[in-house]
């Protein structure tokens, strides 16, 4: 695809996404806006995972941990805001999005730093298993926290406040998520093209070569992993606001798997791929689930098809249809 | 004589029962090309791997400029002025020829924790990378993907990437292996031209190259240095003839992207 075609496509896409709530209302399917919001939030999480997985070659099977932690940050801060008691006796609660999102970034970043620092001592299958193990530890930690709902999760009575906007309104929430998705996409786009991204993609191709030209690969992978975890944390914080609920579900290993599936569906190591993958996944899930309770089965078949025949997910398919080589 | 830039003493490395490096002593002096020859399986690549820090040794010391570098990581050794090329080329296949070199230049310039400015529009960086490509005669292949270039070009690129680290000591593991006669002659010329910039430890099977380039030669057999001296001395040594030069040499080596 040449540059002008790309720009035209981008503008069309932006216009469509901006008009989506109105189109949905016009077509009488307001639920579609909620579906699109979920796709955007998962898109943020998947795109973040893709930074580690697709660009950095770190196959993390534990990103649900960061997603769930972002959600629980919003939930726990809202809980303490409601009761008036401080968290751990000194951290006051909050219901301000401008507070909860930065805290979600901080906390998911800290968890990613710890989990990453330990997991990145290994590689290959071991790395996959150890990230999974850490995510399971986080899962059981939150299940055991009875104060915050344990197994049942934590209901968030009122969504966060953000410049007097009503985030309970579906359309408003959609636009917030659209804005965040655009921001995250832009940040990832810059990072991938920066010196850091240049080195990170080099590490994916050959860690041995990168060490031989003087790069301390561990530190760069760790920073990549932390940024990736933070992105998932932001998505989790948005999801908790959207659902008004934070639960162990967000931390389950199946959630890590779903994020991976979205990345693979859309195209590993591509910029838009994870967003496309998330949209396709959410759409398929809702369509297939209305046909059969065993919707995972047809989804699995579709995934198999994508992996075997598209070579680079949906984005790869589009690019090849657009005549781009390789 | 000045201080050696590289000084190896009593180096030992074994893999289980196999002693791949057996009390090796080697010195490389500034401005010198020290060739290391020996039959297949003698332990040349294993020695290079220990010098660059990929493998740890069991005993002995490695010193750079008189200071020991035992336990220093691969990456840190590069910053101390050590660079190596791989016998079995180890390049970044989805990057272009130019990008492979530019990345080494970037790392040479300092840390890579810069997250915002697009690296591919950094003209100064790319110009430097281009200069290194020109030195090895690859300038016209700058935009080719590494996955698509020929074997000889890979060998040249290995050298260009090593040069981009601006090393004081180059560890070259069979830079001519698998090259045709014309390409080999070119490579000899390139290496001769680099002599004033960096000292070299040159592992090579191609005896014409070795005798054309080396100031000193050490002969490694079964992990042991059996002889070390000027090219004339090595040529004259009966022991070397018996152990090595007599048998058919110049065995080509396999070549793959790692
Ligand atoms: N990681 C390893 N584990 C076990 N044995 C090894 C390992 N690496 C090398 N060896 C053995 O050590 C010996 C020396 O191997 P090395 O690759 O250093 O030889 P070389 O002199 O570079 O040979 P060539 O001329 O074929 O490149 C060989 O017998 C090899 O099989
Ligand atoms: Mg070898």
């Amino acid at each position: 695809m040449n540059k002008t075609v790309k720009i035209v496509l981008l503008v069309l896409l932006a216009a469509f996404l901006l008009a989506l709530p109105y189109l949905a209302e016009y077509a009488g399917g307001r639920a579609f806006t909620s579906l699109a919001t979920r796709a955007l939030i998962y898109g943020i999480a998947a795109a973040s995972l893709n930074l580690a997985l697709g660009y950095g070659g770190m196959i993390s099977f534990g990103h649900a941990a960061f997603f769930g932690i972002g959600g629980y940050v919003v939930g726990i801060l809202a809980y303490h805001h409601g009761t008036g008691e401080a968290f751990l006796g000194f951290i006051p609660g909050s219901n301000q999005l401008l507070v909860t999102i930065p805290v979600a970034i901080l906390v998911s970043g800290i968890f990613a730093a710890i989990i990453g620092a330990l997991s990145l001592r290994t590689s290959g299958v071991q790395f996959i298993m150890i990230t999974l193990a850490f995510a399971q530890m986080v899962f059981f930690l939150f299940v055991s926290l009875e104060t915050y709902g344990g197994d049942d999760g934590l209901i968030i009575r009122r969504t966060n406040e953000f410049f007097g906007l009503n985030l309970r309104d579906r359309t408003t929430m959609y636009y917030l998520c659209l804005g965040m998705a655009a921001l995250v996409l832009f940040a990832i786009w810059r990072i991938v093209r920066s010196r850091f991204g240049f080195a990170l993609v080099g590490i994916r191709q050959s860690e041995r070569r990168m060490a031989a030209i003087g790069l301390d690969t561990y530190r760069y992978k760790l920073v990549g992993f932390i940024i990736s975890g933070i992105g998932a944390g932001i998505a989790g914080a948005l999801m908790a606001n959207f659902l008004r609920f934070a639960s162990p579900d967000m931390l389950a290993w199946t959630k890590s798997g779903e994020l991976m599936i979205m990345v693979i569906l859309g195209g590993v190591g591509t910029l838009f791929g994870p967003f496309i993958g998330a949209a396709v996944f959410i759409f398929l899930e809702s369509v297939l689930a209305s046909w059969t309770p065993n919707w995972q089965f047809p989804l699995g078949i579709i995934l198999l098809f994508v992996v075997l025949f598209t070579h680079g997910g949906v984005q790869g398919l589009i690019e090849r249809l657009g005549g781009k080589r390789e | 004589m000045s201080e050696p830039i590289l000084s190896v003493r009593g180096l030992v490395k074994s893999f289980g029962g196999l002693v791949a490096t057996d009390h090796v002593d080697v010195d490389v002096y500034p401005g010198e090309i020290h060739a290391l020859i020996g039959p297949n399986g003698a332990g040349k690549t294993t020695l290079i791997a220990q010098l660059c820090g990929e493998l740890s040794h069991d005993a002995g010391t490695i010193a750079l400029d008189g200071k020991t570098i035992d336990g220093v990581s691969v990456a840190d050794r590069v910053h101390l002025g050590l660079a190596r090329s791989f016998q079995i080329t180890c390049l970044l296949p989805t990057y272009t020829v130019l990008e492979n070199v530019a990345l080494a230049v970037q790392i040479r310039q300092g840390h890579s924790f810069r997250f915002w400015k697009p690296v591919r529009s950094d003209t100064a960086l790319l110009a430097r990378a281009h200069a290194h490509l020109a030195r090895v005669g690859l300038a016209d292949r700058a935009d080719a993907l590494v996955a698509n270039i020929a074997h000889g070009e890979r060998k040249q690129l290995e050298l260009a990437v090593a040069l981009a680290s601006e090393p004081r000591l180059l560890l070259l593991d069979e830079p001519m292996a698998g090259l045709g006669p014309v390409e080999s002659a070119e490579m000899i010329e390139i290496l001769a031209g680099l002599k004033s910039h960096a000292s070299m430890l040159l592992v090579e099977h191609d005896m014409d190259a070795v005798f054309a380039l080396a100031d000193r030669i050490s002969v490694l057999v079964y992990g042991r240095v059996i002889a070390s001296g000027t090219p004339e001395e090595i040529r004259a040594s009966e022991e070397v003839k018996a152990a090595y030069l007599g048998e058919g040499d110049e065995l080509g080596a396999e070549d793959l992207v790692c």
Side-chain angles (χ1 to χ4, degrees):
Chain A
M1 276 185 278
N2 69 34
K3 219 167 178 173
T4 18
V5 177
K6 254 186 186 167
I7 290 171
V8 169
L9 276 179
L10 265 181
V11 170
L12 283 176
L13 179 70
F16 171 73
L17 288 174
L18 283 171
L20 186 135
Y22 299 97
L23 296 174
E25 192 149 3
Y26 190 72
R30 288 202 61 187
F32 194 71
T33 306
S34 295
L35 213 60
T37 308
R38 285 194 337 124
L40 284 170
I41 295 172
Y42 279 124
I44 293 172
S48 304
L49 171 61
N50 187 41
L51 186 65
L53 193 156
Y55 290 105
M58 295 172 272
I59 305 175
S60 164
F61 201 172
H63 261 51
F66 313 123
F67 183 70
I69 282 166
Y72 267 100
V73 163
V74 170
I76 291 174
L77 287 175
Y79 172 85
H80 286 282
H81 183 73
T83 62
E85 277 171 59
F87 175 69
L88 299 177
F90 70 100
I91 300 169
S94 173
N95 70 338
Q96 297 296 318
L97 196 72
L98 286 178
V99 173
T100 59
I101 294 267
V103 175
I105 287 174
L106 187 72
V107 177
S108 56
I110 291 170
F111 270 83
I114 296 167
I115 293 176
L118 296 168
S119 309
L120 287 169
R121 300 262 169 220
T122 67
S123 58
V125 178
Q126 264 190 40
F127 178 79
I128 301 175
M129 297 313 285
I130 204 165
T131 48
L132 172 64
F134 276 118
Q136 286 303 90
M137 282 166 60
V138 174
F139 173 84
F140 286 112
L141 170 73
F142 279 93
V143 165
S144 71
L145 293 178
E146 289 304 332
T147 327
Y148 304 121
D151 254 341
D152 300 328
L154 188 57
I155 290 173
I156 299 164
R157 285 229 195 79
R158 298 169 65 181
T159 51
N160 286 173
E161 288 176 5
F162 183 56
F163 293 121
L165 295 174
N166 176 14
L167 296 186
R168 282 188 83 154
D169 177 62
R170 281 177 182 180
T171 308
T172 312
M173 190 62 195
Y174 170 81
Y175 282 119
L176 175 72
C177 292
L178 184 61
M180 286 300 279
L183 263 172
V184 168
L185 186 69
F186 181 66
I188 291 176
W189 180 67
R190 295 297 299 218
I191 289 171
V192 167
R193 274 153 190 72
S194 71
R195 284 188 175 222
F196 176 79
F198 195 33
L200 189 68
V201 175
I203 293 172
R204 183 195 70 206
Q205 296 175 63
S206 170
E207 202 161 342
R208 190 166 180 222
R209 163 49 74 192
M210 296 307 289
I213 53 178
L215 195 83
D216 181 352
T217 54
Y218 176 79
R219 282 166 64 203
Y220 288 84
K221 285 198 293 184
L222 180 57
V223 170
F225 191 80
I226 293 172
I227 297 173
S228 168
I230 285 175
I234 293 173
L238 289 173
M239 188 56 96
N241 269 296
F242 174 68
L243 298 174
R244 276 180 285 127
F245 188 47
S247 73
D249 246 13
M250 295 177 78
L251 294 157
W253 68 271
T254 48
K255 194 61 75 186
S256 297
E258 283 174 18
L259 293 178
M260 267 180 155
I261 290 172
M262 291 170 193
V263 172
I264 295 166
L265 262 178
V268 176
T270 61
L271 198 61
F272 284 95
F275 281 95
I276 300 170
V280 170
F281 184 94
I282 296 296
F283 180 74
L284 283 177
E285 182 192 43
S286 81
V287 171
L288 297 174
S290 67
W291 290 346
T292 158
N294 301 318
W295 57 270
Q296 286 95 342
F297 182 68
L299 185 72
I301 291 179
I302 291 170
L303 186 67
L304 208 63
F305 173 82
V306 168
V307 171
L308 289 178
F309 299 109
T310 64
H311 244 284
V314 178
Q315 173 155 339
L317 196 67
I318 294 172
E319 275 174 2
R320 236 153 335 109
L321 292 178
K324 185 172 162 176
R325 289 186 309 133
E326 279 196 309
Chain B
M1 210 172 200
S2 56
E3 285 289 296
I5 180 166
L6 176 77
S7 170
V8 177
R9 286 291 169 273
L11 207 68
V12 178
K13 175 78 192 176
S14 32
F15 298 111
L18 176 86
V19 184
T21 307
D22 190 358
H23 295 90
V24 165
D25 294 347
V26 174
D27 286 317
V28 180
Y29 287 89
E32 173 182 81
I33 295 184
H34 190 140
L36 186 68
I37 63 174
N40 288 109
K44 304 179 297 293
T45 299
T46 305
L47 180 61
I48 297 251
Q50 291 166 83
L51 297 180
C52 76
E54 257 181 27
L55 281 178
S56 60
H57 46 272
D58 301 336
T61 57
I62 303 166
L64 199 65
D65 298 321
K67 281 190 280 293
T68 172
I69 54 169
D70 301 340
V72 175
S73 75
V74 179
D76 288 343
R77 287 182 200 202
V78 176
H79 297 289
L80 291 173
L82 210 68
R84 59 98 49 109
S85 74
F86 291 89
Q87 176 180 0
I88 297 172
T89 58
C90 181
L91 298 159
L92 307 174
T94 73
Y95 278 164
T96 64
V97 168
L98 183 67
E99 285 167 346
N100 267 264
V101 182
L103 199 44
V105 175
Q106 168 183 316
I107 292 165
R108 164 78 203 177
Q109 288 179 346
H111 69 77
S112 296
F113 289 116
R114 301 207 210 145
F115 300 91
W116 212 246
K117 266 195 16 216
V119 65
R120 285 175 185 78
S121 37
D122 187 336
T123 46
L125 179 80
L126 298 183
R128 281 206 79 96
H130 248 297
H132 290 299
L133 279 184
R135 278 166 94 179
V136 303
L138 263 185
D140 53 334
R141 298 292 278 152
D143 295 324
L145 274 186
V146 165
N148 301 336
I149 64 174
H151 169 80
E153 293 170 330
R154 276 199 189 144
K155 283 288 185 188
Q156 291 172 310
L157 181 55
E158 274 282 334
L159 181 61
V161 173
L163 290 177
S165 300
E166 295 175 27
R168 290 174 304 130
L169 175 65
L170 263 171
L171 310 172
L172 300 173
D173 199 351
E174 304 200 15
M176 340 266 172
L179 296 189
V182 181
E183 290 169 312
S184 277
E186 274 173 23
M187 187 60 91
I188 292 174
E189 205 175 308
I190 293 167
L191 292 182
L194 288 173
K195 232 177 125 168
S196 52
H197 299 279
S199 317
M200 289 174 227
L201 184 68
L202 172 68
V203 170
E204 189 47 64
H205 279 298
D206 180 338
M207 287 306 138
D208 295 338
V210 167
F211 284 108
L213 287 166
D215 300 296
R216 293 179 71 75
I217 299 175
S218 292
V219 185
L220 199 68
V221 177
Y222 292 121
R224 283 181 42 236
V225 176
I226 61 158
S228 188
T230 62
E232 294 70 38
E233 287 165 355
I234 295 299
R235 221 194 284 264
S237 159
E238 289 302 323
E239 200 183 353
V240 174
K241 264 188 209 150
Y244 181 54
L245 288 181
E247 328 168 355
D249 50 359
E250 288 190 43
L251 296 161
E254 68 288 31
D255 195 85
L256 298 158
V257 175
C258 71

